[in-house]
Amino acid sequence: MFASIPKNTENVYQFLEALLKDVDSGKEILNYGNYLDILGLLDEISAVGAYGAQWEQEYEKLVSSGHRVEKNNNPFQELVSTALKSITLTIGLNDIISTEEFVLTIPINTQNGNASENNKAVAPQYPLIEAIAHQCYNPCRELRAHALKCLENLLISINDKNIKDARFNLSPKNILDGGCLRLLVELLKPDVESTDLKGMLVTQRAVVNLSCKVILIYDFGTNSDYNQVVSKLLTIANKFLTKNGDKSNFKDELIEILKNMLYVLHSKLDLDSILKLNLSKPLHSLIVEMKTTKLDEAQVLHTPEVDPSPSEPKIEDKTTTPIDTAAV
């Protein structure tokens, strides 16, 4: 917990940055034995940026009440800046863990998942994904937005560079689960949402959008596999619609994101089986629409870009309804 004490945060960050600032120096220091410890230190530093949420929400209250306030007067800005740099340094570890020098330190028989089994080593990309995803529900909006962008870049990079690398034995399903679906389950929790009631709605929508993008760019295998991952996402998205569907823009925007994904994957999905899920009326109607619509290439849409920054939420917050947040 040393790095999470605000007076120590910058010094610890500077020490780690000096060691890991580029691949050449990082591969001399980082190995599988110390990787999780270093990742944990960076996560502690990144988490300190949560102090910035106090100013963000105070600033929003002052502005909404008619006060003129300088936005850049955040007394916690130094901590936020260090946390932002820490997240950037964290994502840079992906280049180091892909080097031959690091790979040689990984025990044989890398585990295809997030938990070790029979003393197998966990592929290093999984804890890296989880560390970045952890900051995607940080109370500080600026930090969340940066973490989400870094998470998206990381997942795209892994698909481009690592997914077919036999040294890591990575699974698209586990990447989606660790990077997106578990994050969505965290965002459903009342104690997470309550840290920033308006801003978290924007984050929820952005993570659903990222989940759709991952499903579209990764190769999940058979049509049955696609049906499974889409069903999991729809089940979680349905909880968001049940919980926050009365917010003025939330439902329409979330449905549009899911609709575009379903259009692209239309030919791979068994919509009849998806209709058997316990879906709310908006999602059920969307699946019925998919079944009755004949698609050609001109109709296929792409998942729209969603700004992950919740700095100025546009979604009206009316109520907060507790729901079952059990993981899917």
Side-chain angles (χ1 to χ4, degrees):
M1 299 296 290
F2 180 80
S4 63
I5 300 173
K7 67 178 182 179
N8 299 329
T9 300
E10 178 64 22
N11 289 334
V12 177
Y13 170 76
Q14 289 183 4
F15 172 74
L16 292 174
E17 183 188 40
L19 297 176
L20 305 168
K21 61 184 177 181
D22 57 56
V23 174
D24 287 337
S25 61
K27 67 184 182 182
E28 298 296 327
I29 300 296
L30 199 65
N31 59 64
Y32 195 83
N34 63 26
Y35 173 57
L36 292 181
D37 291 332
I38 290 176
L39 201 57
L41 275 175
L42 287 169
D43 190 52
E44 282 186 38
I45 295 169
S46 302
V48 173
Y51 282 98
Q54 298 177 36
W55 170 249
E56 288 176 339
Q57 294 177 38
E58 182 63 24
Y59 171 82
E60 186 176 70
K61 289 178 183 177
L62 290 170
V63 170
S64 63
S65 63
H67 290 80
R68 288 189 175 184
V69 187
E70 288 291 332
K71 191 172 184 178
N72 58 2
N73 282 347
N74 187 345
F76 304 105
Q77 191 56 50
E78 287 188 10
L79 288 175
V80 173
S81 296
T82 300
L84 292 169
K85 291 186 294 183
S86 177
I87 292 173
T88 301
L89 187 61
T90 301
I91 192 176
L93 296 183
N94 192 45
D95 292 330
I96 300 174
I97 63 178
S98 299
T99 63
E100 192 62 29
E101 288 85 350
F102 182 89
V103 171
L104 288 173
T105 70
I106 302 176
I108 298 174
N109 297 325
T110 303
Q111 172 70 11
N112 183 11
N114 295 60
S116 59
E117 180 180 304
N118 298 326
N119 297 318
K120 292 181 179 179
V122 177
Q125 286 80 8
Y126 291 126
L128 180 59
I129 290 170
E130 290 184 345
I132 299 294
H134 181 219
Q135 298 309 322
C136 292
Y137 56 95
N138 189 296
C140 176
R141 296 174 182 177
E142 184 179 2
L143 207 67
R144 284 204 308 277
H146 183 61
L148 269 170
K149 190 62 181 176
C150 286
L151 180 62
E152 178 178 343
N153 291 340
L154 176 61
L155 296 179
I156 291 173
S157 175
I158 288 174
N159 183 59
D160 291 341
K161 300 176 182 178
N162 305 123
I163 193 65
K164 295 182 180 179
D165 192 330
R167 299 176 302 172
F168 300 120
N169 194 26
L170 296 170
S171 158
K173 287 184 180 179
N174 288 333
I175 289 170
L176 176 68
D177 185 56
C180 299
L181 301 186
R182 293 184 188 182
L183 173 55
L184 286 170
V185 170
E186 288 297 323
L187 290 168
L188 276 166
K189 294 179 178 179
D191 60 333
V192 171
E193 190 175 53
S194 64
T195 62
D196 183 9
L197 287 172
K198 291 183 179 180
M200 283 295 178
L201 292 172
V202 182
T203 301
Q204 291 165 4
R205 185 192 65 189
V207 177
V208 170
N209 182 69
L210 176 58
S211 303
C212 291
K213 185 174 292 187
V214 170
I215 291 174
L216 291 176
I217 66 174
Y218 277 79
D219 181 2
F220 285 88
T222 66
N223 289 357
S224 176
D225 292 325
Y226 275 97
N227 219 65
Q228 184 182 61
V229 296
V230 168
S231 295
K232 288 182 72 173
L233 175 59
L234 291 177
T235 300
I236 298 174
N238 190 66
K239 292 185 178 184
F240 285 112
L241 287 170
T242 302
K243 186 178 185 182
N244 298 320
D246 61 331
K247 277 67 175 183
S248 57
N249 299 322
F250 186 85
K251 179 181 72 174
D252 292 343
E253 292 175 352
L254 199 65
I255 288 293
E256 188 64 23
I257 290 168
L258 295 168
K259 180 178 182 179
N260 288 328
M261 177 193 66
L262 291 169
Y263 266 129
V264 177
L265 296 177
H266 186 274
S267 63
K268 295 179 181 290
L269 300 176
D270 179 359
L271 297 177
D272 287 321
S273 70
I274 291 177
L275 277 174
K276 294 177 182 178
L277 299 173
N278 185 22
L279 300 177
S280 59
K281 184 176 179 180
L283 269 183
H284 188 274
S285 299
L286 175 60
I287 305 304
V288 171
E289 178 186 338
M290 293 293 106
K291 276 180 59 67
T292 57
T293 302
K294 291 185 178 180
L295 300 176
D296 56 36
E297 289 186 5
Q299 289 176 290
V300 172
L301 305 176
H302 294 285
T303 305
E305 293 296 323
V306 173
D307 183 0
S309 174
S311 55
E312 296 183 4
K314 298 179 181 179
I315 299 171
E316 182 182 354
D317 183 30
K318 297 178 182 177
T319 60
T320 302
T321 306
I323 66 166
D324 178 13
T325 59
V328 177

